[in-house]
Amino acid sequence: MARFRLVIVANRAYADHDTPQGATPEGTAAGGLVAVLRPAAGEGAAWVGAGRGRYDRERVDASGEEWIRTPYGDLRHRRLFFADEEWRGFYELASNAFLWPLLHLVRPFPRLTTYFPQPLTPTREVWSAYRRANEAYAEAAASMDAERAWVHDYQLGLVPRMLRGAGYRGAIGFFLHTPFPDWEVAQEFLDAQGRACFAEWLHGLLAADLVGVQSSADARRLLRAAAVLADAREAEGGLRAEGRFVAVEAHPVGPDATAVEEPARTVADPRWLAELRAVGLPLVVGLERGDYTKGIPERLRAVASLLHRGRRFIHVGAEAPTRVSVPGYEALAAVLDDAAAAAARAAADVGLPFEERREALPWEDVVALLRAADVLVAASLADGMNLVPLQTVLAQGMRPVEARAVLVVGADTGTAAAYGPEFAGRGLVVVDPLDDEALADAIGAALEGLPGRISDAFAQAVRRRDARAWASRYLERLEALHARD
Ligand code: F6P
């Protein structure tokens, strides 16, 4: 019998030990990946992730393993430690200066904005570091002796093929948390070496039994790219490549409902938020990692324009600093500073407070802020899902329906794809974040509660499709597909 029912393989560890005694509290800095996987990572599961916490080495045994107590049971956790140079190549350059911007190219953003970077082609050394890191993950995953391996996200695209190549017999799942790009658009920004690396990456994940993506649009784009780059043929429910069937399916992630709803009932507002609320004006809230995919300058411009038009509200933005030493983030920092300064001036001119925090808020403060929002703006240019609007739906459950928020979300987000068809007009407004006027108008209307506030039906739908439901559905499908082989 295998030692574990499941090994989760993700570059992000379940938790980083940043203090001598404890793990990092849940927050926004770690991104959505850990948040959605938490309910799946309990009893009988193992996790392989990077050791990036200051005290991680002190907490593991000789094989890099430790037990981590989670709300869902004890998790066996293995950490991989990388030398600085390897990390620079694997994480900063190949994963986040090349793949990350590339995967978001559902539209030609480097041409449509002043700050969205072109994917930086990896040098041969950099791509070798990416391969070596993926090999280390594949080896560690195989050594955990689990019935199935669930590999996550773009940092580990080569792992499914490496696992299969090493003779791993269990089911292999791969889940992409980011969007999948439009190949017609993306190829404009790739040279021959960039194209070869992307083709190898895609080829790597097609060794899985099930490739999960966030939306059916992502699945369609993946199938088209695989036809060109991996010689794959579309087949019902997926594709055939190298004589094998690979299922390609949309499995939109959802928030960990308990982690939001419990604190939403009890936590107090932090003092700075209580003071802002005491002014008695509606709050327009934005909360995200400080990333160029998130449409933050666009939100700030819309806020400034509304304030100039005489609208009265308080803007509260919180951007968790992210990937600060990764090339491509400098341009955003300058644009963000300018946009924030302009919006702050517009607020000051009419005597209104304006809040723009560049920090990862503690989880309780995140929940309090989402609970307090009257308009939540998640104007990502492209986003795998963007859990923040969905967490807002859950955090507002205690507010009377007529006093709940309106969510304004970017058209190319998983949230718009998953909930737009049912809830546009009932709590959700879908806009093109690059259309300045449309975005400002949508926020302006949302301040009036138009075209409708978060409904109970919306909250129930989010609860039904929460992180636990997502993981069970994905793993059941993986099991069924593997059993068919
Ligand atoms: O889900 C959000 C996300 O951006 C993932 O795509 C990514 O794997 C994760 O956050 C962690 O990113 P990082 O480790 O670079 O902060």
Side-chain angles (χ1 to χ4, degrees):
M1 209 177 104
R3 195 166 153 228
F4 298 105
R5 64 177 165 83
L6 169 71
V7 58
I8 291 169
V9 195
N11 183 54
R12 269 274 171 186
Y14 177 87
D16 297 332
H17 297 300
D18 283 329
T19 61
Q21 299 81 25
T24 308
E26 183 171 5
T28 50
L33 185 143
V34 175
V36 299
L37 278 169
R38 207 167 273 124
E43 209 62 46
W47 185 303
V48 181
R52 300 294 300 170
R54 201 154 154 225
Y55 295 91
D56 283 353
R57 281 184 199 272
E58 294 167 27
R59 303 285 289 269
V60 297
D61 64 18
S63 50
E65 293 182 19
E66 70 190 296
W67 286 106
I68 294 186
R69 178 145 301 161
T70 83
Y72 300 95
D74 285 350
L75 174 70
R76 189 66 176 163
H77 200 288
R78 164 98 188 258
R79 282 180 202 276
L80 299 181
F81 296 96
F82 295 95
D84 291 349
E85 197 55 20
E86 287 291 281
W87 186 253
R88 171 93 183 142
F90 156 60
Y91 173 82
E92 297 193 345
L93 296 175
S95 298
N96 287 312
F98 174 62
L99 288 168
W100 175 263
L102 169 59
L103 289 166
H104 285 80
L105 294 180
V106 297
R107 293 167 71 188
F109 295 121
R111 274 201 279 113
L112 302 177
T113 69
T114 56
Y115 60 83
F116 197 106
Q118 297 211 12
L120 185 68
T121 299
T123 62
R124 245 188 253 200
E125 294 70 40
V126 164
W127 195 247
S128 300
Y130 183 81
R131 284 196 192 118
R132 280 195 298 275
N134 274 243
E135 255 154 33
Y137 273 104
E139 250 170 57
S143 77
M144 298 309 279
D145 184 21
E147 284 164 34
R148 45 192 88 85
W150 195 7
V151 183
H152 288 269
D153 229 359
Y154 60 100
Q155 303 92 339
L156 303 183
L158 307 182
V159 171
R161 183 158 301 274
M162 288 168 169
L163 267 175
R164 202 169 284 285
Y168 178 74
R169 304 291 291 265
I172 302 174
F174 180 85
F175 190 82
L176 184 66
H177 291 254
T178 69
F180 195 93
D182 183 324
W183 174 245
E184 291 297 312
V185 171
Q187 62 175 337
E188 177 193 337
F189 302 101
L190 294 180
D191 58 16
Q193 161 80 355
R195 183 187 165 114
C197 293
F198 187 50
E200 182 181 333
W201 177 87
L202 185 56
H203 192 64
L205 51 103
L206 294 184
D209 296 295
L210 169 59
V211 173
V213 289
Q214 300 272 21
S215 72
S216 47
D218 291 318
R220 275 196 304 278
R221 288 189 289 256
L222 190 154
L223 293 174
R224 278 204 301 272
V228 180
L229 295 172
D231 203 17
R233 264 191 309 110
E234 256 186 67
E236 204 189 325
L239 53 82
R240 289 197 75 79
E242 297 172 340
R244 274 185 71 245
F245 173 73
V246 187
V248 178
E249 297 178 359
H251 286 259
V253 299
D256 181 349
T258 320
V260 181
E261 290 185 314
E262 275 184 16
R265 280 191 281 272
T266 54
V267 294
D269 287 338
R271 171 121 48 106
W272 59 267
L273 180 58
E275 282 169 9
L276 289 174
R277 292 186 69 193
V279 178
L281 285 171
L283 297 189
V284 172
V285 171
L287 175 92
E288 51 259 311
R289 292 185 308 110
D291 195 280
Y292 47 77
T293 59
K294 299 289 182 185
I296 306 166
E298 286 71 15
R299 163 170 45 88
L300 289 165
R301 277 207 303 273
V303 161
S305 140
L306 284 166
L307 289 166
H308 285 309
R309 287 191 224 163
R311 302 301 300 265
R312 293 184 63 78
F313 62 91
I314 301 174
H315 168 272
V316 187
E319 279 85 56
T322 186
R323 304 175 190 163
V324 278
S325 49
V326 173
Y329 284 77
E330 332 69 36
L332 174 72
V335 173
L336 214 57
D337 285 348
D338 287 352
R345 266 196 314 275
D349 285 349
V350 289
L352 290 176
F354 175 87
E355 191 81 15
E356 175 71 9
R357 306 175 83 91
R358 302 278 171 84
E359 60 175 339
L361 299 179
W363 180 245
E364 285 76 19
D365 296 2
V366 167
V367 174
L369 181 58
L370 300 183
R371 185 180 60 189
D374 296 293
V375 179
L376 186 283
V377 187
S380 300
L381 308 184
D383 213 320
M385 176 53 63
N386 198 335
L387 289 174
V388 175
L390 304 181
Q391 289 163 337
T392 304
V393 170
L394 298 175
Q396 301 229 338
M398 302 289 280
R399 285 170 65 159
V401 179
E402 64 284 358
R404 289 192 194 147
V406 180
L407 312 173
V408 178
V409 306
D412 285 309
T413 61
T415 311
Y419 291 94
E422 218 176 322
F423 294 106
R426 291 201 289 159
L428 186 69
V429 188
V430 177
V431 286
D432 175 359
L434 293 178
D435 182 337
D436 281 1
E437 221 173 287
L439 182 58
D441 287 350
I443 299 172
L447 279 163
E448 311 288 330
L450 298 171
R453 300 179 187 276
I454 296 166
S455 62
D456 283 338
F458 196 170
Q460 268 155 20
V462 174
R463 235 174 268 128
R464 257 200 323 274
R465 306 185 217 165
D466 73 352
R468 186 191 282 268
W470 165 74
S472 328
R473 182 171 162 261
Y474 180 96
L475 291 169
E476 268 166 31
R477 280 294 294 149
L478 179 61
E479 211 37 58
L481 288 158
H482 187 64
R484 251 172 31 182
D485 277 356

